[in-house]
Amino acid sequence: MVAAGSLRHPQVRQPDGVRIHDLLVQERQPGEIIPLATLTHELNGGADWPEVGDWEGVTTDLVQLVHAGRCDALSLGLPDLPRALLCTGPHSQVRAYDAAADDFVIHGPAERAVILDEVGMFLSGVATERPFWPGDSLLPPLGQRA
């Protein structure tokens, strides 16, 4: 997990990173957590990614930025089910086998929302100590370009 502003770092593939940043922040609440799967859902199930940019390349660049210590990042270390719910779209369902009941249990949007709330509460505590640093020399958002 990185600050959205890290997408505007000059070492991230551009203008793709700035375009993704713009989609992540417009019409959102400050500090809102937006999994990449949510953005994929909003982009016509991913069909519109080519119009925005190379999200895989941007993600690779972000990982390199994190490893170089050029922005803050946090690994949430989520268990399998919560991670699966965050990696699927906001209306998706995840089936998990319950060995005690010898049956499958379906988890969906309500459980995903709870996980996002829990992650948000955890992050608000972390950000109170020190806000996430997105990196230095960030490019301006799309709406602020000359």
Side-chain angles (χ1 to χ4, degrees), residues 24-111:
L24 282 173
V25 300
Q26 61 181 214
E27 300 181 25
R28 314 267 190 206
Q29 298 297 318
E32 186 175 352
I33 300 164
I34 310 298
L36 190 59
T38 298
L39 195 52
T40 297
H41 169 77
E42 293 172 358
L43 291 171
N44 195 22
D48 295 340
W49 268 119
E51 296 171 29
V52 176
D54 177 6
W55 70 268
E56 291 172 319
V58 167
T59 302
T60 299
D61 293 347
L62 281 172
V63 169
Q64 291 174 351
L65 200 65
V66 167
H67 285 291
R70 304 202 48 137
C71 71
D72 284 343
L74 179 66
S75 175
L76 297 174
L78 294 173
D80 291 342
L81 180 60
R83 187 175 56 241
L85 283 165
L86 293 185
C87 290
T88 61
H91 305 296
S92 298
Q93 296 180 333
V94 173
R95 287 178 36 158
Y97 181 69
D98 180 349
D102 191 31
D103 199 5
F104 286 93
V105 179
I106 297 177
H107 304 272
E111 290 89 353

Side-chain angles (χ1 to χ4, degrees), residues 8-28:
R8 296 182 299 140
H9 196 282
Q11 290 183 333
V12 171
R13 185 173 321 245
Q14 300 298 344
D16 300 20
V18 171
R19 287 189 198 125
I20 294 169
H21 174 269
D22 192 52
L23 289 174
L24 282 173
V25 300
Q26 61 181 214
E27 300 181 25
R28 314 267 190 206

